[in-house]
Amino acid sequence: MGGIRQAAPLGDRVLGAATVLVAALLIVGLAIPLAIMLAKSYQDSRGAFVGLANYAAYFSSPAPLASIGNTFVIGVVSTLVTIPLAFAYAYGIHRSRMPGKGVFRAIALIPLLTPSLLFALSFVQLFGNQGILKDLLFGQTIYGPIGIVAGMTFAHFPHTFIIISTALSLADRRLFEAAESLGTSQLRIFRTLTLPAAKYGLVSAAIVSFMLSITDFGIPKVIGGQYDVLATDIYKKVIGQQDFELGAVVSVLLLIAAVLAFAAVRTVQRKQVAMMSTRAIPYEPRPRRAFDTVMFLYCAVIALAIVGIIAVAGVSSFIKFWPYNLGLTLRHYNFDLAAGGGWQAYLNSLKLATWTAVVGTAIVFLGAYQVEKSRGMTRIRQLIQVLAATPMAVPGLVLGLAYIFFFNDAANPLGFLYGSMGILVLVTIIHYYSVTHFTMVTALKQIDADFESVSDSLKTPRYRTLWRVTVPLCMPAILDVSIYFFLSAMTTVSAVVFLYSTHTSLASIAVINMDDAGEFAHASAMAMVIVATCIAARGVHWLLTRGIQRRTQAWRAA
Amino acid sequence: MQNQGSLLRWMRSLFAVAVCVVVAGHTPAAANTELTVYSAYENDDLKAYKAAFENDNPGITINWVRDSTGVVTAKLLAERENPRADAVWGLAVTSLLVLDEFDLLQAYTPKGLDKLSPAMRDSSGSPKWFGNSGWICAIIFNEAESKKRNLPKPSTWKELMNPAYRGQIVMSHPASSGTGFMYVSAWLQLYGEAEGWKFMDALHQNIARYMHSGSAPAALAAKGEYAVGLGFDVRGSRLKEEGAPIDIILPRDGLGWDMNTMAIIKGTKKLEAARKLVDWGVSETANKLYGSTRSIAAMPGYAKPLAHLPGDMDIRIMKQDFAWAAKHRARILAEWERRYGSKADPKKT
């Protein structure tokens, strides 16, 4: 490292160039494809401008109105079911003295490690016409809104749980002690202290749950039966009828709904004022026997349900021919016998997840670093900031369809990406960009800006401070972002379903295709392989984080 | 800090590799001619067809791109400004006719085309599609479940109008799956439009679900999820072999069918090799191969009977006008959506 002094300006220039690169990536991977898709919705199949004709054609039959209504109903109902369940669960963890909190917390997050379809597959197994628990439905069918909502409740549980959990962890012990010493009843404390403090967290969680529910594609596809929603409509238009223009119309509708929901989340978040003063003391629940027991039982039931539903898929993947031959077999793990690309699909998924984690983390870190720490290039930094927040409001299917339009254009010099692993990596990074970007920005904000000014006054090049100080300090966030990318890439369906090719078929897509072809046991088996992989990845992440925390994060405790 | 530094260097070089890989993308083709062939055939078929073709045509390699019929058709249409396929081998004829409307197919007259049965080739002066094999619209009837529910065994399509079957029948969604559309178009041709729609009105009352895939109805009937699945013969035969308690019924009032076909994509830079592919695809050797796993081969007499099914399928099938079906596809689907599409609530079982 002798020549650092001479190389300094070069290093910083490379850093500057990287900023432009991140901005360019967001423009090419997000802004342009979306713009082209919007344009497509105003064109006929040969590319001529037809104004609102596609919209008129779409709305000419009553079916689309039903789809819009259904999408809304699913969004609202699944939110109304998920939020109270997740709230009570988080409440138990934060406000009671029940045993096993660590286990309960871990189990609540398990659905993040599974493809959301797995829940739908298990529900079919349990409540389908040949299901063991069919009678619990009292003659209702699982194929439809009931199945969709049930599947979504499980699949979206961790997302809402995390948000509510954060809100509940911000409680000032002094307030609660004051209330109790004044003899306030527990119910009143809950109503006047707990709920108002968690209000914004609850609203945020509700909108996030709504947004996830209206844009989810896998669950309605597997268990929705005749209950059409916008997400399955897009798929039907594009894959079933090869009508890309109407697909674009439905995409625009879904995009509008998602953007509205997203705007609502932002408004709520902006209203949230700091509930915690610097002198606050974190809340420590006191033992209350009856309450603790009730909370323990409640959390145990939910945790058992989550583990049980996943176990059902596991068991059904070993059964020879349900329900006529209940012998056990490993045959369904021979994926070469089924649709979807065999074990190669699984290897492709591993490849995609690894590339997404490595490349995605590097890009997100660079983008966040520039937004947070660099000087100059204000315009580009603002652009990154705006574009980084956008993917949150863009449903995966919409992004995927937009990519077909853009990358398959004969005039596009990037056309070689089409059908390659590269386009899958790109779309996955962009699809999950927002959450990772904000995680990274938050981590960077915690590092004092003085490091940069001190390094400037000492004439140390910025990139050296970055390598030597900033990156090591941010290591936990960097690991979090990379595991998030990895898990998302292993389980994602919606963003890649239009973009995979024969040579880049993926495990998560194979689950859909096997279910589609009626190979249900194979589908469960592949879903279980994905779950096992994600659990292993999570284990590695935990070990790495622990190791690094010991070495680089001692300053936090100080 | 020393370790941190090496981790960083490691991440940095990984990043560089990643950029290279993403940029490099594709590797150039090998010295011999590599044909990119899109197909909806199943994996087993692909392996056998590729091996046999390459054995007879040294110097040409097949690079399969396989997916379901809907996806392959969507792909070809999406790529039409910039085609990536050299040929298609194993796609429903109705899909090829849609591609033809966009002028995506290259005309060619292969040697021995006239040996194929007239129903299974393009009889125009400049043929664009070539039949391989056929499959048949059947009723997959679950004996075990039907006994439990006291359902009569149907022998014609029209018997499925019986209210006893309410909520017991599954079929493919004609707007999502080529298989589903095949049934609808066959009924419309069999009974004429007015009576055909009347039949479907009654059938609709009994349908539990319209599935998005072609093979799911047979699989669901085999598992007993529903008693009756409108699915195709090959699939039913295989499920019965696996031990499903089903009967494969060939309705007496008319057997609809669909055809797997091949074609050359217009604008291919490997026209010579693509022609050789079609030459081989209509040959005797190829038809023997088709006939070993399908109930109809394009060359009459080459199909071996499937397990649990009769052998004279090419005589039993109805006369079907695929061009008519392709031409009126959009109108038929719109009418179908108008009549049955807006049904929001699934029928109770």
Side-chain angles (χ1 to χ4, degrees):
Chain A
M1 288 284 208
I4 268 179
R5 220 159 267 275
Q6 288 90 329
L10 177 73
D12 279 7
R13 251 183 289 152
V14 169
L15 220 52
T19 320
V20 178
L21 205 76
V22 172
L25 192 87
L26 286 169
I27 291 172
V28 169
L30 182 66
I32 301 180
L34 284 182
I36 290 180
M37 200 202 58
L38 209 59
K40 269 281 173 196
S41 71
Y42 298 107
Q43 293 171 358
D44 69 8
S45 63
R46 290 169 201 269
F49 180 80
V50 291
L52 290 172
N54 292 327
Y55 289 85
Y58 180 66
F59 284 109
S60 64
S61 77
L65 291 176
S67 297
I68 293 173
N70 290 349
T71 308
F72 187 74
V73 167
I74 290 294
V76 169
V77 175
S78 95
T79 302
L80 287 180
V81 174
T82 312
I83 295 295
L85 287 175
F87 179 81
Y89 197 88
Y91 190 76
I93 286 179
H94 285 283
R95 298 291 158 86
S96 83
R97 293 279 293 253
M98 65 179 182
K101 285 185 186 178
V103 176
F104 285 141
R105 198 190 305 263
I107 290 178
L109 300 182
I110 285 183
L112 290 178
L113 311 177
T114 66
S116 61
L117 307 168
L118 182 134
F119 295 102
L121 289 169
S122 293
F123 278 119
V124 168
Q125 202 68 35
L126 286 176
F127 301 104
N129 293 338
Q130 294 287 347
I132 333 161
L133 303 179
K134 178 176 181 266
D135 295 337
L136 289 182
L137 289 177
F138 300 107
Q140 296 291 325
T141 171
I142 192 77
Y143 300 109
I146 296 180
I148 300 179
V149 167
M152 285 181 175
T153 303
F154 280 91
H156 304 156
F157 189 81
H159 303 88
T160 48
F161 167 76
I162 291 170
I163 299 174
I164 296 173
S165 196
T166 314
L168 282 178
S169 68
L170 303 173
D172 192 340
R173 178 172 161 185
R174 296 170 308 167
L175 279 175
F176 286 84
E177 278 172 357
E180 274 170 20
S181 64
L182 290 172
T184 319
S185 74
Q186 287 298 329
L187 191 68
R188 197 174 149 86
I189 290 182
F190 180 79
R191 217 158 32 82
T192 54
L193 274 180
T194 309
L195 269 187
K199 186 171 68 186
Y200 292 116
L202 276 174
V203 175
S204 286
I207 303 171
V208 165
S209 157
F210 180 80
M211 220 154 80
L212 288 171
S213 306
I214 61 171
T215 58
D216 198 318
F217 161 71
I219 293 176
K221 169 88 170 56
V222 169
I223 206 169
Q226 285 340 103
Y227 200 77
D228 287 328
V229 291
L230 287 176
T232 46
D233 265 8
I234 299 179
Y235 186 79
K236 241 174 27 182
K237 290 286 176 239
V238 173
I239 300 298
Q241 298 160 43
Q242 296 94 43
D243 192 332
F244 295 91
E245 291 67 32
L246 281 193
V249 167
V250 191
S251 295
V252 170
L253 295 177
L254 190 57
L255 188 59
I256 291 173
V259 167
L260 287 179
F262 177 65
V265 175
R266 299 293 287 203
T267 318
V268 171
Q269 279 170 350
R270 229 167 268 141
K271 276 196 186 150
Q272 180 143 33
V273 280
M275 299 296 290
M276 297 279 279
S277 72
T278 45
R279 262 166 290 160
I281 306 168
Y283 181 74
E284 280 285 337
R286 268 181 300 171
R288 276 179 284 159
R289 213 155 148 220
F291 174 72
D292 293 348
T293 314
V294 169
M295 284 331 283
F296 177 79
L297 287 177
Y298 170 76
C299 291
V301 167
I302 299 274
L304 273 178
I306 292 176
V307 174
I309 296 276
I310 293 172
V312 165
V315 170
S316 67
S317 71
F318 293 112
I319 290 179
K320 265 188 190 149
F321 195 98
W322 176 268
Y324 301 111
N325 184 346
L326 302 183
L328 298 179
T329 176
L330 280 173
R331 193 172 63 104
H332 301 126
Y333 284 82
N334 184 351
F335 298 125
D336 294 326
L337 294 177
W343 276 102
Q344 185 58 44
Y346 172 70
L347 295 180
N348 288 339
S349 271
L350 278 186
K351 224 192 271 177
L352 170 68
T354 310
W355 281 125
T356 307
V358 172
V359 181
T361 309
I363 291 172
V364 163
F365 181 82
L366 272 176
Y369 178 80
Q370 291 303 327
V371 165
E372 202 46 46
K373 298 282 176 196
S374 78
R375 16 167 207 183
M377 295 201 280
T378 325
R379 281 279 163 74
I380 294 183
R381 282 163 50 205
Q382 280 168 349
L383 186 75
I384 293 181
Q385 215 153 5
V386 170
L387 286 177
T390 311
M392 187 87 98
V394 181
L397 277 180
V398 176
L399 196 61
L401 189 58
Y403 269 44
I404 300 189
F405 294 141
F406 178 55
F407 284 97
N408 191 49
D409 197 305
N412 188 341
L414 293 171
F416 67 85
L417 278 176
Y418 190 73
S420 72
M421 186 55 88
I423 199 171
L424 298 181
V425 174
L426 181 65
V427 80
T428 312
I429 292 175
I430 298 289
H431 187 197
Y432 295 102
Y433 201 92
S434 302
V435 173
T436 51
H437 177 79
F438 294 133
T439 308
M440 210 61 107
V441 165
T442 311
L444 285 166
K445 266 195 209 298
Q446 290 170 352
I447 300 171
D448 207 317
D450 287 349
F451 281 114
E452 268 73 19
S453 37
V454 169
S455 89
D456 284 353
S457 62
L458 289 174
K459 298 231 162 55
T460 312
R462 276 280 175 103
Y463 78 87
R464 200 168 171 208
T465 318
L466 169 68
W467 280 161
R468 285 298 183 82
V469 180
T470 317
V471 169
L473 289 182
C474 284
M475 238 342 148
I478 289 177
L479 286 174
D480 284 351
V481 164
S482 47
I483 188 76
Y484 180 80
F485 269 134
F486 187 94
L487 298 178
S488 306
M490 278 308 292
T491 55
T492 187
V493 170
S494 60
V496 290
V497 72
F498 291 137
L499 297 175
Y500 73 95
S501 69
T502 311
H503 305 291
T504 59
S505 56
L506 300 172
S508 51
I509 300 288
V511 176
I512 282 236
N513 285 340
M514 289 165 177
D515 175 77
D516 214 40
E519 290 150 344
F520 309 107
H522 283 106
S524 296
M526 185 63 103
M528 289 315 287
V529 171
I530 296 176
V531 173
T533 310
C534 288
I535 290 177
R538 199 80 174 81
V540 170
H541 168 255
W542 181 76
L543 285 176
L544 279 178
T545 307
R546 228 175 47 149
I548 280 174
Q549 213 122 32
R550 285 218 186 110
R551 226 171 318 147
T552 65
Q553 303 298 313
W555 60 280
R556 285 186 198 272
Chain B
M1 277 323 233
Q2 210 51 38
N3 272 343
Q4 286 300 320
S6 69
L7 180 64
L8 279 173
R9 235 165 290 140
W10 178 79
M11 273 184 72
R12 215 168 356 166
S13 46
L14 252 187
F15 178 66
V17 172
V19 171
C20 291
V21 167
V22 171
V23 170
H26 294 243
T27 44
N32 74 336
T33 314
E34 196 175 314
L35 277 181
T36 301
V37 183
Y38 284 15
S39 180
Y41 277 135
E42 289 176 41
N43 289 329
D44 295 353
D45 295 331
L46 295 185
K47 265 177 221 153
Y49 298 174
K50 176 182 159 86
F53 170 78
E54 286 173 1
N55 187 41
D56 290 353
N57 292 274
I60 306 178
T61 331
I62 292 179
N63 179 15
W64 290 120
V65 172
R66 195 230 160 253
D67 221 307
S68 68
T69 306
V71 175
V72 173
T73 314
K75 227 180 168 73
L76 286 161
L77 281 177
E79 295 168 358
R80 65 177 181 267
E81 305 292 335
N82 188 17
R84 295 172 191 249
D86 298 303
V88 179
W89 189 8
L91 199 60
V93 62
T94 32
S95 288
L96 279 191
L97 292 170
V98 173
L99 298 178
D100 191 29
E101 270 179 48
F102 284 89
D103 198 23
L104 292 178
L105 306 182
Q106 170 76 47
Y108 175 56
T109 312
K111 283 167 275 179
L113 179 64
D114 51 339
K115 286 197 195 136
L116 302 191
S117 100
M120 301 202 57
R121 59 185 154 94
D122 181 355
S123 40
S124 69
S126 50
K128 288 181 178 153
W129 55 264
F130 317 95
N132 301 157
S133 51
W135 50 261
I136 284 157
C137 304
I139 300 175
I140 312 296
F141 186 73
N142 190 311
E143 309 262 20
E145 297 305 314
S146 306
K147 200 169 282 164
K148 267 191 237 163
R149 295 170 206 184
N150 262 329
L151 296 178
K153 189 186 242 181
S155 60
T156 63
W157 294 114
K158 290 218 162 157
E159 283 170 40
L160 293 178
M161 296 160 80
N162 183 344
Y165 295 111
R166 179 152 294 197
Q168 302 293 341
I169 307 176
V170 271
M171 73 175 279
S172 303
H173 196 300
S176 326
S177 132
T179 312
F181 179 70
M182 242 12 261
Y183 278 84
V184 171
S185 114
W187 290 326
L188 291 179
Q189 293 185 43
L190 189 62
Y191 303 126
E193 291 224 18
E195 208 192 322
W197 287 114
K198 223 192 273 164
F199 163 70
M200 281 185 267
D201 285 344
L203 181 69
H204 176 69
Q205 296 303 317
N206 293 342
I207 295 276
R209 290 163 74 194
Y210 294 100
M211 309 295 300
H212 294 296
S213 108
S215 30
L220 284 174
K223 277 185 60 169
E225 216 26 47
Y226 300 95
V228 181
L230 307 189
F232 48 89
D233 54 345
V234 188
R235 185 86 193 177
S237 156
R238 203 176 311 154
L239 285 163
K240 194 161 180 170
E241 285 290 284
E242 279 177 33
I246 51 172
D247 192 12
I248 306 156
I249 298 170
L250 305 172
R252 274 188 289 108
D253 38 358
L255 274 189
W257 58 291
D258 201 349
M259 196 193 315
N260 298 306
T261 46
M262 68 195 306
I264 302 172
I265 297 296
K266 201 174 228 176
T268 167
K269 294 183 189 81
K270 294 159 185 168
L271 188 57
E272 253 340 285
R275 281 179 175 159
K276 280 198 177 133
L277 183 79
V278 172
D279 283 340
W280 194 88
V282 301
S283 71
E284 212 171 306
T285 331
N287 273 279
K288 244 179 231 160
L289 210 47
Y290 302 143
S292 63
T293 55
R294 310 282 155 147
S295 45
I296 302 172
M299 224 174 250
Y302 276 77
K304 269 197 322 206
L306 296 174
H308 316 288
L309 282 165
D312 55 346
M313 288 290 203
D314 38 357
I315 301 165
R316 290 171 179 245
I317 52 176
M318 63 181 266
K319 197 167 147 25
Q320 202 149 290
D321 188 345
F322 294 109
W324 177 86
K327 205 171 127 204
H328 297 279
R329 184 163 172 260
R331 177 180 63 81
I332 293 171
L333 287 182
E335 176 67 15
W336 193 92
E337 285 280 0
R338 193 185 67 74
R339 285 173 185 256
Y340 320 121
S342 61
K343 181 175 80 166
D345 292 312
K347 290 243 162 354
K348 289 173 193 169
T349 22

